Amino acid sequence: MSLYKKELIFIKTRWIVMIIIMIGLAILTVSIKDIIVNIINMPAVQEQLKNIPKGLQSQIQKISDFSYYSYSQWFDKTFIEIAAVLAIIFSFSAFSKEIEDRTIYILHGRSTRLEIFSAKIFWGIIACVISVLAGGLVYLAVADMLKYDLPVSQALIWTIRTVFGTVFLYSIGIFFSLILKDQIRAILADLAVFVGIYVLGIFAQTRFLGLFDYMGSIDVLRGSGVGVIQIVILSLLSFLLLGFTYFKFKNMDI
């Protein structure tokens, strides 16, 4: 059995489950839009809204606009949260499980380290990219079926940004999977770094480092593009981090 086939079998069940979750939540988020708007427009709810800050009132009222609803309830919320989970799910056990189970020695006896590393990351990246694309495109397709007005360009920009962001998060996960050699510690390290990245996006001084803020940015509603410079930077960082991880793998004792 080839290494690539082995890796596909290894992640197949997780991949299917995550695709189903991503698509299911995309369909659900579009489908309940009118329900949420109707609840917000109920007299009792409107009366309660008078007691909250005006800025928050304004945001809640704007949910009736489908583009803003899509931003606040999907592309800047559930979508990127699932994307981060995808990065963890497909990376945390890539090397750590092989090292824990000592099967890495068997692989090393049959294949070169480059072949092992390439097979390890190939399907993980493909799974992340396809899963994210599925979430973005299915959301857009269901919105179109239900006759909601969501510009295709907005949905595609958010989706493309999230694809590149997810690959970068995946590269972080692969790095921890190798150097920590333990599945639990790899997951905890991923979570710690991802939370750190989220926190950086909160403060004005570090907002330019906020990956999640870029992935689901409200600027897309104002006509901003995909952000070519940011994509180039994310691609370069992903490549460098994966390259460094391979360098560590190539020179580690097995």
Side-chain angles (χ1 to χ4, degrees), residues 114-218:
L114 179 59
E115 290 171 338
I116 296 171
F117 188 83
S118 299
K120 284 289 178 187
I121 68 170
F122 177 79
W123 282 115
I125 292 176
I126 293 296
C128 285
V129 170
I130 290 180
S131 298
V132 172
L133 286 175
L137 297 179
V138 166
Y139 186 94
L140 180 61
V142 175
D144 183 65
M145 287 172 54
L146 296 179
K147 307 301 181 184
Y148 288 126
D149 184 21
L150 175 64
V152 174
S153 60
Q154 290 181 353
L156 291 181
I157 288 171
W158 277 316
T159 302
I160 292 169
R161 288 183 176 194
T162 304
V163 165
F164 283 92
T166 305
V167 172
F168 175 63
L169 295 174
Y170 173 81
S171 67
I172 294 174
I174 286 292
F175 174 71
F176 285 132
S177 179
L178 178 68
I179 66 168
L180 296 179
K181 305 177 183 180
D182 178 277
Q183 296 181 75
I184 300 301
R185 287 196 297 166
I187 292 176
L188 293 176
D190 287 343
L191 290 173
V193 171
F194 292 3
V195 169
I197 292 173
Y198 173 78
V199 171
L200 288 174
I202 296 176
F203 303 103
Q205 297 87 344
T206 57
R207 190 161 295 156
F208 69 98
L209 296 173
L211 175 62
F212 296 111
D213 190 55
Y214 163 73
M215 289 161 67
S217 176
I218 194 172

Side-chain angles (χ1 to χ4, degrees), residues 10 66 222 237 246 252:
F10 180 63
F66 190 69
R222 301 166 185 154
L237 290 174
Y246 170 67
M252 71 184 293

Side-chain angles (χ1 to χ4, degrees), residues 44-97:
V45 175
Q46 287 293 314
E47 190 64 29
Q48 290 297 320
L49 289 178
K50 295 177 181 179
N51 300 320
I52 65 175
K54 291 189 179 296
L56 185 56
Q57 283 185 43
S58 176
Q59 291 179 23
I60 294 175
Q61 297 294 353
K62 284 192 293 186
I63 284 181
S64 58
D65 175 76
F66 190 69
S67 288
Y68 186 83
Y69 172 85
S70 299
Y71 154 75
S72 63
Q73 301 303 309
W74 181 246
F75 290 106
D76 189 46
K77 191 176 181 181
T78 310
F79 189 43
I80 59 176
E81 289 169 357
I82 301 175
V85 172
L86 285 171
I88 295 175
I89 289 293
F90 293 126
S91 66
F92 81 95
S93 61
F95 289 99
S96 57
K97 180 173 173 56

Side-chain angles (χ1 to χ4, degrees), residues 29-43:
T29 303
V30 178
S31 302
I32 64 174
K33 189 264 184 180
D34 286 342
I35 296 175
I36 292 177
V37 171
N38 289 336
I39 291 174
I40 291 174
N41 289 331
M42 291 174 60

Side-chain angles (χ1 to χ4, degrees), residues 215-234:
M215 289 161 67
S217 176
I218 194 172
D219 288 345
V220 176
L221 292 176
R222 301 166 185 154
S224 66
V226 70
V228 175
I229 294 176
Q230 291 91 333
I231 283 180
V232 170
I233 292 173
L234 282 174

